[in-house]
């Protein structure tokens, strides 16, 4: 789950990381009032869950409250990377002297979190990572020990931070580690962390956090921050039904029980020249209702040209799955071909139920994948 900038910075501030004064507004009028409170010169920042807002024109500096009102109106009518801007953050404008990048994420290959920093922070950090990777300092963090003082000092030295800011930087880096660890984040990022030209102090001007969805059960406060407006509706719907669904760009909708089997199914679809439209794991022991919900979600994707059901009945009963498919077909009247492979518990009964449903049946996974690629009209 991604958090908005204003939410991330609020959490940063709770952990003692300095942030600018500011508040969120949903209307231009509100933005004006906040600007008045803050003394006029403010930045208006679109709150959408994508990067590169600055470059897209979603961040503007206002010279006074009236200007803030106008710019807020303008930004609130924008779409950034197809997402409508519904809120803006109105922050006291900062006098930027230097822009530093500071972030933590998981390094899967090293099986450890890694802190990354660069003196070349700001909107072009991806470019920096690509063309001059040596300008990015990386330090792996032992998850049991946490970030050590000496590591934070190494980073400060590595990015040529002025000596007089090392102590401050140390505190921010250690606090950012606590934000990361204590909130089960998979990414925390400050870009830019600035040296403020007015008082020569460090401040987090931007904030980004991604929380591990599987840990949200133990972070009720974070779970409540989820912005449903910003998610693909299909993914929200899937979560409501306890389904693991990820939309992809292909044309073959996949409904499978078990994450491993779902991955295998996608691999085999690709092997025969198809592209999966989604990952979907209905989970073990899914009943008819859940299956019907899953099928409706798959069929809301307009790219889907064929649906492949690959059900390996164990705890899941194939007859239950068949009933779910029938219920969903009754409701949504799909007009794409469907290929079904049922094996295992109650497969016979499942197949009998589906016999009149005008579905393409398959015996093996290879057979099912080939038939669905053909049904979707993909030529090799
Ligand atoms: P992003 O483009 O989505 O990463 O948004 P950021 O919050 O990082 O802002 C992008 C850029 O806008 C920053 O790198 C700054 O150069 C500029 N910016 C943001 N806030 C301020 C501010 O308070 N004052 C000034 N002068 N520039 C700002
Ligand atoms: Mn940024």
């Amino acid at each position: 789950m991604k958090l908005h900038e204003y939410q991330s910075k609020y959490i940063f501030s709770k952990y003692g990381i300095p942030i600018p004064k500011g508040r969120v507004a949903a209307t231009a009028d509100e933005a004006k009032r906040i600007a008045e409170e803050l003394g006029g010169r403010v930045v208006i920042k679109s709150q959408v869950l994508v990067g590169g807002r600055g470059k897209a024109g979603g961040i503007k500096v206002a010279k006074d409250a009236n200007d803030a009102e106008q710019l807020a109106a303008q930004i609130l009518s924008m779409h950034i990377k197809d997402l409508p801007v519904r809120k803006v953050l109105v922050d006291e404008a900062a006098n930027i002297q230097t822009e530093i990048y500071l972030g933590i994420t998981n390094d899967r290959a090293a099986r450890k979190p890694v802190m990354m920093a660069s003196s070349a922070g700001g909107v072009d950090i991806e470019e920096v990572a690509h063309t001059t990777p040596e300008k990015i300092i990386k330090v792996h963090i032992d998850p049991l020990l946490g970030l050590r003082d000496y590591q934070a000092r190494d980073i400060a030295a590595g990015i040529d931070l002025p000596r007089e800011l090392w102590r401050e930087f140390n505190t921010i880096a250690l606090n950012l580690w606590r934000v990361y660890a204590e909130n089960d984040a998979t990414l925390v990022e400050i870009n830019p962390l600035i040296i403020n030209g007015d008082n020569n102090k460090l401040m987090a001007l931007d904030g980004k956090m991604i929380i591990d969805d599987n840990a949200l059960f133990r972070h009720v406060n974070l779970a409540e921050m989820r912005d449903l407006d910003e998610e693909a509706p299909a993914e929200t719907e899937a979560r409501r039904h306890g389904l693991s669904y990820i939309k992809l760009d292909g044309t073959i909708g996949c409904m499978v029980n078990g994450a491993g089997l779902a991955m295998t199914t996608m691999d085999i679809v690709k092997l025969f020249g198809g592209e999966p439209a989604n990952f979907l794991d209905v989970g073990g022991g899914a009943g008819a209702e859940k299956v019907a919900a899953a099928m409706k979600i798959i069929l809301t994707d307009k790219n889907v040209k064929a649906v492949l059901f690959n059900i390996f009945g164990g705890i899941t009963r194939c007859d239950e799955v068949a009933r779910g498919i029938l219920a969903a077909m009754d409701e949504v009247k799909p007009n794409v071909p469907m290929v079904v492979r049922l094996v295992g518990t109650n497969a016979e009964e499942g197949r009998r139920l589906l016999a009149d449903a005008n579905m393409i049946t398959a015996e093996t996974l290879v057979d099912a994948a080939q038939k669905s690629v053909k049904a979707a009209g993909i030529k090799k």
Side-chain angles (χ1 to χ4, degrees), residues 34-241:
I34 298 170
E36 275 163 0
E37 280 170 38
L38 295 175
R41 236 180 86 78
V42 291
V43 236
I44 311 288
K45 311 184 76 176
S46 52
Q47 298 298 291
V48 281
L49 295 175
V50 290
R53 297 165 304 160
K55 286 195 170 170
I59 293 177
K60 295 267 163 63
V61 182
K63 57 182 190 298
D64 57 35
N66 286 326
D67 197 23
E69 182 181 20
Q70 266 187 14
L71 289 172
Q74 185 191 326
I75 292 176
L76 283 166
S77 67
M78 286 174 63
H79 280 71
I80 297 180
K81 296 186 184 160
D82 289 335
L83 292 174
V85 180
R86 292 188 169 89
K87 282 172 286 192
V88 291
L89 174 61
V90 183
D91 262 0
E92 211 166 46
N95 174 6
I96 301 177
Q97 190 185 50
T98 306
E99 295 191 304
I100 295 163
Y101 173 93
L102 185 66
I104 308 175
T105 188
N106 277 328
D107 181 344
R108 285 169 190 267
R111 292 187 280 176
K112 279 178 187 160
V114 60
M115 179 171 265
M116 292 173 292
S118 176
S119 56
V123 294
D124 286 319
I125 192 69
E126 280 85 6
E127 181 68 17
V128 173
H130 189 66
T131 54
T132 46
E134 69 279 3
K135 285 196 184 156
I136 298 182
I137 308 289
K138 292 185 180 174
V139 170
H140 285 100
I141 303 172
D142 184 310
L144 299 177
L145 298 176
L147 183 75
R148 319 290 353 182
D149 276 347
Y150 77 89
Q151 294 183 304
R153 261 194 315 276
D154 280 352
I155 294 173
I159 61 170
D160 288 325
L161 192 73
R163 276 269 177 182
E164 69 269 22
L165 291 173
W166 282 22
R167 185 185 293 271
E168 224 177 292
F169 178 83
N170 208 294
T171 308
I172 290 175
L174 294 173
N175 286 340
L176 192 63
W177 163 253
R178 286 177 49 223
V179 171
Y180 183 83
E182 290 176 17
N183 294 288
D184 288 309
T186 56
L187 175 82
V188 291
E189 198 180 82
I190 307 177
N191 185 32
L193 172 70
I194 63 153
I195 302 179
N196 188 336
D198 291 337
N199 57 10
N200 198 37
K201 281 186 177 302
L202 294 170
M203 181 160 75
L205 227 55
D206 190 9
K208 186 171 172 184
M209 284 180 76
I210 302 180
I211 310 292
D212 184 346
D213 281 334
N214 292 317
L216 282 175
F217 73 94
R218 56 184 187 190
H219 300 289
V220 180
N221 302 346
L222 294 176
E224 281 172 359
M225 290 185 179
R226 193 186 285 278
D227 186 345
L228 293 179
D229 284 347
E230 294 275 336
E231 292 198 340
E235 292 186 6
T236 311
E237 186 64 12
R239 202 178 37 256
R240 207 166 65 79
H241 291 280

